[in-house]
Amino acid sequence: SRRAVEGSDIDRFEAWNTTAGVPAVSVAIMEGGVQWDHPALAADMWVNEAELNGMPGVDDDGNGYVDDIYGWNVILDSGTINPGTHGTHVAGTVAAVNNNGIGVCGVAGGTGTATALG
């Protein structure tokens, strides 16, 4: 049988005492899709501002990807991000916004405040 090993967890609460998340840190999740506008995720989703505010059909930031506002779909070879259930679950485990009264708390979900420190 398997037994838990003391010290094998990620010490989330101790880490949160140091920082509850810094917006400058990005985590990439390679998955089948994510619901980027999910209420528990939207505030923590990476947004390519150049593409969001640019012209449709144009590679506004010159990175080789057209309209990659929320990332890139390698299956469709486009910026269309499909709302996959497993990818949304995984993204929530990592980055669901904390202290917002919605669903779960992500390991790196910040504090629910604009400063994200604390």
Side-chain angles (χ1 to χ4, degrees):
S1 74
R2 294 183 182 203
R3 296 187 331 193
V5 177
E6 187 175 337
S8 64
D9 62 346
I10 62 171
D11 293 327
R12 177 185 68 226
F13 295 113
E14 290 82 358
W16 283 352
N17 286 332
T18 302
T19 180
V22 178
V25 175
S26 295
V27 176
I29 297 175
M30 311 310 270
E31 250 296 348
V34 64
Q35 184 182 343
W36 52 267
D37 62 350
H38 189 286
L41 296 173
D44 278 350
M45 287 294 296
W46 173 80
V47 177
N48 185 337
E49 296 291 338
E51 297 290 350
L52 178 68
N53 298 309
M55 299 290 297
V58 174
D59 181 12
D60 299 291
D61 61 359
N63 69 355
Y65 300 98
V66 175
D67 298 337
D68 58 318
I69 298 170
Y70 298 103
W72 192 253
N73 184 326
V74 296
I75 302 299
L76 298 177
D77 197 27
S78 80
T80 301
I81 305 300
N82 295 321
T85 56
H86 187 261
T88 302
H89 171 85
V90 172
T93 299
V94 173
V97 176
N98 297 331
N99 298 322
N100 66 355
I102 299 172
V104 299
C105 292
V107 173
T111 62
T113 66
T115 62
L117 296 176

